Amino acid sequence: MTATPTSPATPTSPATPSATATHLDAGVSGRAPATDAGVLRDISKRVLWLSAAIVDAANRGRPNVSGVKVGGHQASSASMVDIMVALWFHALRGEDRVSVKPHASPVLHAVNYLLGDLEADYLNTLRAKGGLQSYPSRLKDPDTVDFSTGSVGIGATAALWAAIAHRYTSSHFAETPEAGRFVSLLGDAELDEGAIWEAVADPQVASLGELLWVVDLNRQSLDRVVPDIQIDRLRGMFTAAGWQVVTLKWGRFVSGLFERPGGAELRRRLEEMPNEEYQRMLRVPADEVAERILAGQDSTVLRDLVGSLSTEDLAHAVRDLGGHDLPLLVDTFDGADEHRPTVVFAYTIKGRGLATEGHPNNHSALLTGPQMQQLADACGIDTEQPWATFAPDSAAGRLCAERASALSRPAITTTGPVDVPTSLGHPHRKAVSTQAALGRVLADLPRDAPELAARLVTCSPDVASSTNLGGWINKTGVWSVKERRDWFADDRERVLRWSESESGQHIELGIAEVNLVGLLGELGTTWSRWGQRLVPVATIYDPFVSRALEPWSYGIYAGGQSILVGTPSGVTLAPEGGAHQSITTPSIGLEQPGCVAWEPAFAQDLEWTFLHAAAQVGVEGGTSAYFRLSTRPLDPELAALPEDPALLERRRCQAVAGGYRLSSHPAIEDEVMLVGVGALMPEVIEAARVLGDQGVTAGVVCLTSPDLVFRSFQQRGSRDAGAGVGNIVDELFPAHAPAPLLTVQDGHPHTLSFLAGVRGDRIRCLGVTEFGQSSDLADAYALHGIDVPSILDAALTLTGR
């Protein structure tokens, strides 16, 4: 893969610029840029070199004893250099927040280095332990990174959800610091991701004038040149969603040629070229470009125009795209509409200025030693000092210092302590489901826990009423970017009062689970972004947790702390059929880093565990939570709550640690131990009663969090044992009282299979392993072998009866 790269310098001969650009198809701006274009070009050359050198050092500058490819993305970085230089060295303010496309992370680090935000020692640590991450990471990189990216589509939309999160926070807490623009830099291939369009189409987004998206339209994806010309379709989709759409296709040099005789024909020829033909033209020697342009053309004026240009100017002209014209970029960013979101389609060349420029397989291609030397020569770099910065008294050095000062941010002052009670103190006397119990807890919070209630915000993808948020919504209202008139305010028959304003505390989204968790993650970062703690809670039908899992998990990775409630769950939702019966979510919750998974059975357990989880959200070292809830009402008498205050507090402590024993007899008497979770506890308790009638002593354990019990098990013998996990596993399964274990769960049975290793007991795990079907509850339980007869049969078999 060799070619002579085009120098990133200015064109070799002047051209007359065309008329002032419009915001529909910008070609050149008539306004003088506020920052000297020559200085910006000097910085652009240095950033291009540094971004390529960072990747080169990781691959050729460090020993690689494993033989595993280190990798990096020099070409994907090169196409973004001018866009990012125009932003960081002119347009951005300290209040702005930017999401950088994953493969341009070396450019971000190069920019931060020139701004004094990154030490030189880190520049050769890309993808090394303790060094620069492969993709921008808000928590793991040593320099300023506003949004973690890397999961295509998710990082780009994060800035959008952060804008909504900031608006929400500002509308509720006057001391929230101001924010500027929320910028997303994304590749054109990233627009294939459905998450992008789910976010763009959300009705509230059209009011977010602080949004600025810049699409690096380099017409390449990982494997290929993107087929066909899709820009009109993409522009139309954004326009239909209410966005301002700006297209930067051509730079000033070639725009000047378009004004000459034959220029219209040249423009038409270049714009009608298939992407593949255009990319191929970039790879030929400069003296072959004219032949490529004129192939199949019979226009005399076109031939005259092409013939009048030197080979160097013609080669430069076909590369003179809007995404590489720094003054045009500067003016475009300055002129973005402040009343609606803006998307800028900036045409670029993947690998711009590199020997791999425009090659269809350049995505992960690495420059050779001679090619790096060639790049150094083009950028004016002494390879003996690859990390050289600008002299402080040079124009570029002064601009770097000025921009470093302009982009500095004050330290964040976080919210003071918030009083979160351990219990609300209201007894639960009636049979109620955990889903309904959550609705009651939320509705009680404004009265019983006002500090927590003020910080709590709920979200739902059009299932608020069916997940029991109605009471909370009636008390707190619905939040909206702008107030909407409630036309049903005078309807006395209405149960759910849907009043939308900036003071509400529930955010309703459309039926798009990815949007839900995208917003949830950003609401969960406000404590660290702007010092305002929120406790975001989202309700979602549990079968759709899997659909939302990856973006929610990525939000946790990026530092978002939140509570996700999956309800209703399992085959307990029998009449809804197999499509609405979740099977794998218990183990998904157990396996999710940065999150505690809960599945309480009884209303009191739900209250205790929810308050405990809320206390961990929005704080340094905090954690997210996932609650798997049910619509099956359970009799609170089955929980056998102690009346003595001390014993009741002991039960609460065990519940928030992961589980408790329901048996009235000592564990040493157990002939078999039944371990249940969630909605199936009535069957477990009934089976234990029948076994007792048959002379078999059965212990009963109710787990509120298999996740925490597993962690307690895992910490045994570890060097960091006792690091906040607790010893609940040994309380529930004491070593001195071994007994066969029978686990029962409305979910995949392997979730609890680890309990066999606690004491080395024989074990049988009952649960759901097949898709369900519509039925009543009894038939569903029998179908999957989790009803009382199935539990009895398995228990008797374990005991040898």
Side-chain angles (χ1 to χ4, degrees):
M1 188 185 299
T2 59
T4 302
T6 299
S7 170
T10 53
T12 57
S13 61
T16 304
S18 63
T20 302
T22 71
H23 282 299
L24 293 179
D25 192 10
V28 60
S29 172
R31 291 186 297 135
T35 306
D36 184 86
V39 178
L40 288 179
R41 179 54 60 193
D42 289 342
I43 293 175
S44 177
K45 290 181 184 180
R46 189 64 54 91
V47 171
L48 176 65
W49 163 258
L50 287 171
S51 62
I54 286 170
V55 178
D56 183 70
N59 288 273
R60 298 195 304 119
R62 294 199 307 257
N64 185 350
V65 296
S66 70
V68 176
K69 172 187 172 184
V70 177
H73 300 89
Q74 291 172 321
S76 294
S77 293
S79 63
M80 285 294 301
V81 166
D82 293 319
I83 293 170
M84 294 177 67
V85 166
L87 283 168
W88 267 264
F89 292 92
H90 171 79
L92 294 180
R93 298 177 300 159
E95 298 84 3
D96 298 336
R97 298 292 185 271
V98 188
S99 170
V100 177
K101 80 170 189 176
H103 295 150
S105 64
V107 183
L108 178 60
H109 298 310
V111 167
N112 282 341
Y113 172 62
L114 290 180
L115 293 173
D117 190 33
L118 184 68
E119 296 295 329
D121 290 347
Y122 280 106
L123 296 178
N124 63 357
T125 67
L126 180 69
R127 303 190 174 196
K129 180 182 178 182
L132 304 176
Q133 298 300 296
S134 53
Y135 308 121
S137 174
R138 183 169 176 259
L139 299 185
K140 298 180 183 297
D141 271 315
D143 50 340
T144 299
V145 175
D146 292 328
F147 297 94
S148 296
T149 58
S151 184
V152 177
I154 304 303
T157 59
L160 181 156
W161 303 119
I164 293 181
H166 182 267
R167 284 212 182 192
Y168 177 91
T169 307
S170 298
S171 66
H172 288 79
F173 308 104
E175 62 274 23
T176 301
E178 291 186 5
R181 288 193 288 196
F182 292 84
V183 184
S184 288
L185 309 179
L186 59 161
D188 52 345
E190 199 164 359
L191 295 179
D192 291 340
E193 283 289 341
I196 297 289
W197 301 109
E198 289 185 25
V200 166
D202 187 85
Q204 301 204 67
V205 172
S207 299
L208 301 177
E210 62 267 44
L211 284 186
L212 172 63
W213 283 18
V214 185
V215 179
D216 173 18
L217 211 159
N218 60 43
R219 292 176 275 196
Q220 285 187 240
S221 61
L222 190 152
D223 291 327
R224 61 179 181 168
V225 175
V226 176
D228 303 323
I229 299 174
Q230 305 182 45
I231 184 63
D232 289 338
R233 177 176 60 85
L234 296 173
R235 289 193 299 196
M237 293 167 72
F238 276 101
T239 300
W243 290 53
Q244 177 193 27
V245 178
V246 181
T247 302
L248 305 183
K249 190 160 191 176
W250 302 110
R252 294 166 301 163
F253 179 67
V254 74
S255 292
L257 299 181
F258 294 156
E259 299 296 317
R260 299 185 188 181
E265 289 78 5
L266 175 62
R267 181 169 190 160
R268 182 165 52 251
R269 169 66 176 130
L270 293 176
E271 292 187 351
E272 289 179 355
M273 274 187 183
N275 290 339
E276 297 91 337
E277 183 182 3
Y278 174 78
Q279 295 288 117
R280 185 66 188 93
M281 182 172 60
L282 299 177
R283 301 295 303 167
V284 301
D287 58 6
E288 294 183 20
V289 173
E291 179 183 350
R292 294 274 177 171
I293 293 176
L294 296 174
Q297 306 299 306
D298 57 4
S299 170
T300 301
V301 291
L302 174 60
R303 289 183 175 274
D304 290 344
L305 176 60
V306 170
S308 69
L309 300 173
S310 68
T311 56
E312 292 79 9
D313 280 355
L314 189 57
H316 175 80
V318 299
R319 291 170 168 81
D320 187 29
L321 301 182
H324 298 301
D325 189 318
L326 284 162
L328 176 58
L329 288 165
V330 162
D331 284 353
T332 300
F333 296 149
D334 285 348
D337 194 334
E338 296 182 354
H339 304 290
R340 56 178 172 153
T342 297
V343 58
V344 176
F345 288 99
Y347 277 75
T348 63
I349 297 173
K350 193 167 183 175
R352 165 78 169 183
L354 307 182
T356 56
E357 179 180 85
H359 195 284
N361 302 125
N362 66 7
H363 183 79
S364 298
L366 300 172
L367 298 184
T368 64
Q371 289 172 337
M372 284 296 296
Q373 182 61 59
Q374 188 180 27
L375 177 63
D377 294 341
C379 294
I381 299 297
D382 179 359
T383 54
E384 294 297 316
Q385 296 180 308
W387 311 129
T389 57
F390 295 105
D393 59 349
S394 66
R398 289 193 297 271
L399 180 58
C400 288
E402 291 169 6
R403 295 303 297 159
S405 176
L407 293 173
S408 63
R409 298 172 181 170
I412 295 297
T413 301
T414 57
T415 304
V418 174
D419 182 21
V420 180
T422 58
S423 175
L424 299 182
H426 305 302
H428 300 270
R429 294 192 174 92
K430 296 181 180 179
V432 66
S433 69
T434 47
Q435 176 181 296
L438 175 65
R440 173 179 165 178
V441 167
L442 292 175
D444 287 345
L445 287 180
R447 180 187 68 240
D448 298 329
E451 289 188 34
L452 172 60
R455 299 282 170 179
L456 195 139
V457 52
T458 59
C459 312
S460 180
D462 200 35
V463 294
S465 57
S466 59
T467 53
N468 284 79
L469 295 183
W472 165 260
I473 292 172
N474 284 343
K475 288 191 175 183
T476 63
V478 178
W479 183 85
S480 179
V481 170
K482 55 185 178 181
E483 188 165 346
R484 298 176 183 271
R485 180 173 178 178
D486 182 4
W487 290 96
F488 287 86
D490 58 350
D491 186 346
R492 296 183 178 180
E493 295 182 4
R494 186 177 65 168
V495 176
L496 184 62
R497 296 191 292 274
W498 202 264
S499 176
E500 297 185 52
S501 69
E502 290 188 354
S503 63
Q505 290 183 244
H506 172 77
I507 304 177
E508 188 80 357
L509 296 102
I511 307 174
E513 288 79 10
V514 173
N515 283 357
L516 175 77
V517 295
L519 175 59
L520 193 67
E522 288 305 319
L523 289 168
T525 64
T526 58
W527 67 276
S528 56
R529 288 197 192 280
W530 300 292
Q532 290 298 334
R533 178 184 181 183
L534 293 178
V535 180
V537 179
T539 59
I540 180 177
Y541 287 167
D542 195 65
F544 305 140
V545 166
S546 298
R547 184 183 301 176
L549 180 65
E550 193 269 337
W552 185 55
S553 177
Y554 209 82
I556 295 175
Y557 166 80
Q561 299 172 13
S562 60
I563 298 176
L564 183 64
V565 179
T567 183
S569 63
V571 299
T572 298
L573 190 64
E576 289 284 350
H580 280 63
Q581 295 172 359
S582 51
I583 296 172
T584 61
T585 48
S587 56
I588 285 176
L590 187 151
E591 295 160 8
Q592 173 59 48
C595 170
V596 177
W598 303 91
E599 191 170 352
F602 303 104
Q604 186 61 71
D605 293 346
L606 180 280
E607 177 187 310
W608 286 334
T609 56
F610 180 82
L611 292 172
H612 177 79
Q616 317 305 313
V617 172
V619 294
E620 186 73 38
T623 184
S624 294
Y626 158 60
F627 280 84
R628 188 175 191 256
L629 304 185
S630 171
T631 52
R632 184 189 185 189
L634 298 192
D635 185 351
E637 292 294 324
L638 294 176
L641 289 172
E643 295 184 2
D644 181 270
L647 293 179
L648 184 64
E649 174 61 13
R650 182 174 186 269
R651 168 69 68 86
R652 186 195 68 80
C653 291
Q654 290 178 324
V656 300
Y660 51 86
R661 184 176 171 86
L662 271 175
S663 317
S664 59
H665 60 269
I668 194 68
E669 298 178 9
D670 290 341
E671 295 180 64
V672 63
M673 177 176 283
L674 308 184
V675 182
V677 183
L680 285 177
M681 283 310 300
E683 280 66 34
V684 172
I685 293 169
E686 175 62 14
R689 185 195 65 77
V690 175
L691 287 170
D693 290 345
Q694 300 299 313
V696 179
T697 305
V700 175
V701 167
C702 176
L703 297 185
T704 55
S705 174
D707 185 359
L708 290 179
V709 175
F710 178 73
R711 297 185 197 195
S712 178
F713 170 58
Q714 284 290 94
Q715 81 168 10
R716 282 175 165 183
S718 66
R719 288 185 172 85
D720 61 348
V725 177
N727 197 37
I728 189 65
V729 70
D730 291 319
E731 289 186 43
L732 300 178
F733 308 98
H736 67 274
L741 300 179
L742 176 63
T743 68
V744 189
Q745 184 167 25
D746 186 358
H748 200 283
H750 98 277
T751 308
L752 299 178
S753 60
F754 73 90
L755 293 175
V758 174
R759 299 178 303 201
D761 299 317
R762 288 183 295 118
I763 193 170
R764 175 75 185 279
C765 300
L766 303 184
V768 181
T769 59
E770 303 291 340
F771 291 115
Q773 56 183 279
S774 295
S775 66
D776 62 25
L777 194 61
D779 288 338
Y781 285 179
L783 175 67
H784 295 283
I786 50 178
D787 58 345
V788 173
S790 298
I791 297 172
L792 289 172
D793 179 63
L796 291 171
T797 301
L798 275 174
T799 60
R801 302 291 182 106

